[in-house]
Amino acid sequence: TGDFSMRYSAEDGCNLLEGMTTYKNKEKATALTADAAFSRENHYEGPNVEDLKETELIEKTFEFLEAQGISTELGEYVHKHVQVLEQQEYMNLLADLKAMSA
């Protein structure tokens, strides 16, 4: 069976679908190797979602996400959590650079 990924953001109660990609099999979508990551980065991501506003694709996608338990609230939580993790990694980088220059 195939799989897919989405670039999706939820902030301040607003859903934003940024793009979608389909894969022929789950392995291509989820493998944690450098080759797989490179392949995903260079995989066709579909049309610009903004160009699809006149279709029902965006609304149907959000209905699908809601049915899977992926709500705006969950999206906002993940977004905020990722921001905290990014800040922690940045602080670790600065500490490493400081230690290297001492």
Side-chain angles (χ1 to χ4, degrees), residues 21-94:
T21 303
T22 60
Y23 299 95
K24 297 288 183 196
N25 60 58
K26 190 173 188 88
E27 177 70 18
K28 290 187 181 290
T30 61
L32 299 177
T33 66
D35 286 341
F38 179 79
S39 177
R40 283 190 296 272
E41 288 173 11
N42 292 291
H43 193 79
Y44 176 65
E45 293 188 343
N48 184 340
V49 176
E50 287 293 314
D51 294 341
L52 302 174
K53 282 191 172 184
E54 294 181 11
T55 71
E56 292 184 3
L57 179 63
I58 296 171
E59 291 79 19
K60 295 293 183 188
T61 300
F62 286 123
E63 288 174 15
F64 170 78
L65 290 172
E66 287 283 339
Q68 303 305 310
I70 302 171
S71 63
T72 300
E73 293 79 18
L74 176 61
E76 289 175 354
Y77 171 79
V78 170
H79 178 73
K80 289 175 184 174
H81 186 69
V82 167
Q83 288 178 322
V84 169
L85 292 175
E86 176 71 23
Q87 184 64 26
Q88 289 173 343
E89 288 301 316
Y90 177 65
M91 297 305 291
N92 291 340
L93 172 72
L94 291 177

